[in-house]
Amino acid sequence: MIEIDPQHLAHRYMAQWTVPGAAERRAAIEQLWSEDATHILQPPAEIREIAAELGFGHTTLEAQGYDAIETRVARSYERFVETGGFTFRARADAVRLHGVVKFSWETVSTETGDAVGGGLEILLLDDDGRIKADYMFPGA
């Protein structure tokens, strides 16, 4: 596996969620992710509660491949950055253990600069240092 600075990767990863242009966003995704990568999200508590009320014992949201990941990143950008007044940033706690990178991130109000949320990210890397699986835990 190639050498990867985990903090640099964390910053690049968080930056993709704030890219306004579709072409630049797609380029960032193709640089960061392997072609068949999977983004796996633990939904927010309110979604898990609704699912439990409907009889689902667990919920997992997944996007696989460039197109699905691009849709996921674009929708997040539209909701939180473009119209929501937020941005995202990695905390300075990224660590790497073999092919795994773990770091925390923050949702930041663009009006005040205050962190108003965040989560935990666990990235599994391929031999080229690109993301092959991304486990996102908002609120963690």
Side-chain angles (χ1 to χ4, degrees):
M1 177 160 300
I2 64 171
E3 285 300 313
I4 299 281
D5 175 342
Q7 195 63 52
H8 180 68
L9 176 61
H11 288 300
R12 288 177 48 225
Y13 175 88
M14 296 312 298
Q16 78 180 328
W17 299 92
T18 64
V19 175
E24 293 111 345
R25 187 170 35 247
R26 179 64 179 231
I29 289 166
E30 290 183 7
Q31 290 171 3
L32 283 168
W33 299 78
S34 65
E35 191 171 348
D36 62 346
T38 304
H39 170 71
I40 304 156
L41 171 71
Q42 178 187 43
E46 60 271 12
I47 293 175
R48 294 193 311 268
E49 290 167 8
I50 291 168
E53 289 173 7
L54 295 173
F56 292 96
H58 68 286
T59 55
T60 305
L61 304 177
E62 296 186 25
Q64 184 169 17
Y66 287 151
D67 291 343
I69 292 167
E70 181 179 11
T71 298
R72 165 78 177 104
V73 173
R75 296 302 175 264
S76 179
Y77 172 81
E78 292 162 2
R79 179 174 180 194
F80 298 107
V81 179
E82 186 175 51
T83 62
F86 300 104
T87 191
F88 304 104
R89 68 179 174 217
R91 290 188 176 170
D93 64 353
V95 294
R96 178 179 174 191
L97 182 61
H98 294 289
V100 178
V101 172
K102 176 185 78 81
F103 64 94
S104 301
W105 52 271
E106 297 175 322
T107 304
V108 180
S109 167
T110 54
E111 184 177 320
T112 65
D114 295 333
V116 296
L120 173 69
E121 212 71 31
I122 299 174
L123 306 176
L124 303 181
L125 306 179
D126 66 13
D127 290 338
D128 295 323
R130 291 171 43 198
I131 301 166
K132 66 181 176 182
D134 167 15
Y135 296 90
M136 179 182 273
F137 300 88

